[in-house]
Amino acid sequence: GVLSNHDHRHRFAMMLGRLSRCVLARTSSVVTNVRPRIIEATPQLSIRSLCNPTLSYSQRMDKTGRPISPHLMIYRLPLIAWSSVTVRITGLIASAGFFVVGGATLYKGGGWVADTAQDLDMTTQRWTGRDFGSIPTFVAKFSIAYLMAYQWLGSARHMVWDLTAMGFTNQKMLQSAYAMFGASAVISLALAMYSLPPSSKSEKQG
Amino acid sequence: FFSSRTMFFAAFRRGVQIPTAVRAFRAGKPAHGGTSETENLRTMLFKSDHSSAGMHIYHKLNFALIGLGPAALVLSPSALNYPVDIALGIIIPLHSHIGGNDVITDYAHKITKAKAFENSLRIGLFGVTVVTFVGLLKLNLQGPGVTETLKSFWRSKKADK
């Protein structure tokens, strides 16, 4: 038979009631503390799937199953974008480096990393059995200097953006990207060619 | 402490608003007001970029690191560098942790949609941070310190006594 109007309105009112309860339960901490159980105790409610306001936009779009059109795969990133990506890459590699230093210290003792680093050529020769001359030290110095310098310059640029909002034009950003890549390369090359004398405090902190 | 019937009528009277999720660009500032109290510590530890407190800490730490880097370089072999080393040993793991959470949020979803993958990555990152923290602490307290260790790549071999 035909459903009467009352039936529709009744159902709608019940649905609205459940929806409002769950909306209020999620948005009001008082109600949440008092009765969080209404939703969980009745899992067969289909309204429950609507009552999930913590789903982000991306998650809801995922649920539709639709594919994303290609964007990063087909777009050639400008240098400004690469300068930002490189900040992240240098940060990741530096984090990995600090993890290795920390782990090696825990495993081998407080002075091991410093001792090995001071004598890197000999150490690589011992580990690999081949003599590379002074190349390992140069590569290590250049890499560490480049990572630190680029990361520092990128963070400084970001701080300038945050605090002064200067340089938010394409021109300025492109210039800053060139400056960052160039300055890091120059600084790292200069530092890598430079050596320090042996540590004067050989027995510091045992 | 309001009966469900009361809530229903109250809401029905003023008109129910179905929450439409506004797209929140920053994970640290979600559209729906953030996490509840019980979740806050867990979010800050394991999902740091989803907690606004974590992101505020992150920004302040960045400023601190920008100052501490050159300071450490300049002060290095002297004992004045000791507080700088300690500060670096604390701030660098925290910075790496929150930054790493950022990276996981950005890329883990693109590899697999499974939540277990992302969660296991976050737990792994927490372990990495703990190891880094304790290792750098040991380096500072029982070794030559963070700056001196990095500088030792530049030092030539100690002459035999």
Side-chain angles (χ1 to χ4, degrees):
Chain A
V2 176
L3 287 171
S4 72
N5 286 340
H6 295 293
D7 210 11
H8 277 301
R9 271 185 290 165
H10 177 69
R11 282 199 190 170
F12 181 69
M14 290 308 295
M15 186 176 90
L16 212 54
R18 288 187 203 130
L19 192 58
S20 66
R21 269 204 306 281
C22 92
V23 165
L24 287 164
R26 296 286 172 155
T27 55
S28 157
S29 61
V30 171
V31 180
T32 306
N33 289 339
V34 169
R35 52 175 90 239
R37 305 269 180 255
I38 284 185
I39 314 299
E40 311 313 311
T42 51
Q44 65 269 24
L45 282 177
S46 63
I47 297 300
R48 187 160 171 258
S49 61
L50 288 174
C51 295
N52 199 353
T54 50
L55 274 186
S56 67
Y57 173 83
S58 304
Q59 287 165 326
R60 284 187 291 121
M61 290 301 113
D62 274 341
K63 285 176 91 156
T64 63
R66 295 193 288 264
I68 303 178
S69 15
H71 45 294
L72 282 176
M73 309 75 152
I74 56 172
Y75 183 66
R76 194 177 72 160
L77 285 182
L79 190 71
I80 302 171
W82 278 116
S83 72
S84 187
V85 167
T86 316
V87 172
R88 178 170 268 194
I89 292 176
T90 52
L92 281 178
I93 300 178
S95 301
F98 277 110
F99 170 63
V100 167
V101 165
T105 308
L106 286 177
Y107 187 59
K108 289 258 190 182
W112 185 85
V113 180
D115 288 339
T116 315
Q118 272 189 334
D119 206 12
L120 199 58
D121 298 323
M122 279 286 126
T123 319
T124 48
Q125 194 173 354
R126 250 183 290 131
W127 284 351
T128 62
R130 293 210 314 222
D131 187 9
F132 290 104
S134 64
I135 292 180
T137 319
F138 185 83
V139 167
K141 291 199 288 197
F142 183 80
S143 319
I144 294 177
Y146 193 85
L147 293 175
M148 297 295 158
Y150 193 86
Q151 177 78 7
W152 190 88
L153 286 173
S155 308
R157 179 178 74 161
H158 201 101
M159 185 172 81
V160 167
W161 287 344
D162 275 347
L163 296 181
T164 65
M166 282 182 358
F168 269 92
T169 64
N170 269 333
Q171 280 279 10
K172 289 252 174 70
M173 285 213 183
L174 191 60
Q175 287 167 3
S176 71
Y178 279 127
M180 273 166 56
F181 280 115
S184 320
V186 166
I187 291 173
S188 319
L189 212 55
L191 282 178
M193 293 193 293
Y194 177 72
S195 279
L196 289 171
S199 165
S200 52
K201 302 186 180 183
S202 50
E203 292 304 315
K204 177 188 164 198
Q205 286 166 332
Chain B
F1 80 154
F2 293 123
S3 77
S4 56
R5 195 161 173 274
T6 321
M7 299 303 303
F8 160 61
F9 280 118
F12 191 64
R13 286 273 167 103
R14 65 169 174 263
V16 169
Q17 287 167 346
I18 299 174
T20 54
V22 173
R23 182 172 184 184
F25 280 84
R26 283 170 54 205
K29 206 178 164 77
H32 295 283
T35 53
S36 65
E37 280 312 308
T38 51
E39 291 282 319
N40 257 339
L41 183 63
R42 189 143 51 110
T43 313
M44 192 145 58
L45 287 179
F46 289 99
K47 244 181 162 185
S48 308
D49 62 317
H50 282 250
S51 96
S52 48
M55 290 316 281
H56 284 143
I57 293 175
Y58 185 59
H59 285 134
K60 305 293 187 295
L61 288 182
N62 288 351
F63 295 167
L65 273 182
I66 291 174
L68 284 175
L73 208 58
V74 161
L75 287 174
S76 178
S78 82
L80 277 176
N81 202 37
Y82 194 58
V84 179
D85 267 343
I86 300 279
L88 279 175
I90 296 175
I91 296 180
I92 286 177
L94 280 177
H95 178 88
S96 301
H97 183 71
I98 302 178
N101 275 121
D102 227 335
V103 171
I104 291 177
T105 308
D106 284 345
Y107 302 128
H109 194 67
K110 299 194 169 131
I111 301 177
T112 332
K113 290 203 170 64
K115 276 236 144 186
F117 176 68
E118 185 197 325
N119 288 339
S120 58
L121 276 184
R122 289 194 196 274
I123 294 174
L125 179 66
F126 186 73
V128 164
T129 304
V130 167
V131 167
T132 313
F133 182 77
V134 179
L136 290 184
L137 198 64
K138 179 166 182 175
L139 202 60
N140 280 331
L141 297 178
Q142 291 177 1
V146 177
T147 332
E148 210 29 62
T149 305
L150 283 182
K151 269 196 169 180
S152 56
F153 280 94
W154 271 261
R155 295 199 188 280
S156 39
K157 189 174 185 308
K158 282 193 290 257
D160 290 327
K161 288 186 213 134

